[in-house]
Amino acid sequence: MRNKIILLLMAFVLVSCDQPTGIKKTHDVTEQYIDIRVTTFATERQLNKFLQSNNYSNKEVEGLARWAHPKDDLTKVTRCNIYVVEPSGVRDTGTLSTWGHELAHCIYGSYHKKGER
């Protein structure tokens, strides 16, 4: 009986790993050259103060990416600006995760489900 349960659990894990998750992309610029500029801040408070004073965001965020499309072509990106807090070190996985998250916005666009962050 125990072997059957273990076998069943292994089959479930294998099936679960095979499920495509995907990201709903508004654009996809993988393998394309784009100008990416990163502006860092010492604290999240400084980041949000800058974003709000420039009307980039009216919410408290951990990071933000803003991209520019060529005129009349929303499938391409010419430039992407990333605004993030500088990591405190190589093990600052929370901040580094935000960097990667914002970079993904540069590449894939607005992929959040409505109301999800």
Side-chain angles (χ1 to χ4, degrees):
M1 177 69 172
R2 183 174 181 215
N3 288 341
K4 287 182 182 178
I5 293 173
I6 291 173
L7 188 58
L8 186 60
L9 286 173
M10 288 174 59
F12 177 77
V13 168
L14 289 174
V15 170
S16 298
C17 292
D18 196 35
Q19 298 297 316
T21 54
I23 292 177
K24 185 175 181 181
K25 307 166 188 172
T26 56
H27 61 254
D28 187 343
V29 293
T30 54
E31 299 188 31
Q32 296 178 28
Y33 289 102
I34 63 171
D35 179 13
I36 297 176
R37 298 173 190 206
V38 179
T39 303
T40 61
F41 299 85
T43 66
E44 205 170 286
R45 183 178 180 171
Q46 290 174 346
L47 162 71
N48 282 291
K49 185 177 178 180
F50 172 84
L51 296 176
Q52 290 169 5
S53 69
N54 286 285
N55 294 317
Y56 292 165
S57 177
N58 59 358
K59 302 182 226 180
E60 296 287 314
V61 297
E62 295 175 2
L64 184 80
R66 293 176 47 93
W67 53 91
H69 297 284
K71 188 175 182 177
D72 300 324
D73 190 352
L74 299 179
T75 65
K76 293 186 174 32
V77 172
T78 55
R79 183 186 68 253
C80 188
N81 296 324
I82 297 175
Y83 303 94
V84 285
V85 174
E86 187 167 333
S88 60
V90 296
R91 296 187 188 269
D92 186 356
T93 56
T95 301
L96 291 170
S97 177
T98 299
W99 280 54
H101 178 95
E102 300 309 330
L103 177 60
H105 278 300
C106 292
I107 305 304
Y108 298 132
S110 297
Y111 55 77
H112 289 287
K113 291 180 183 175
K114 188 170 181 157
E116 182 182 275
R117 285 275 158 201

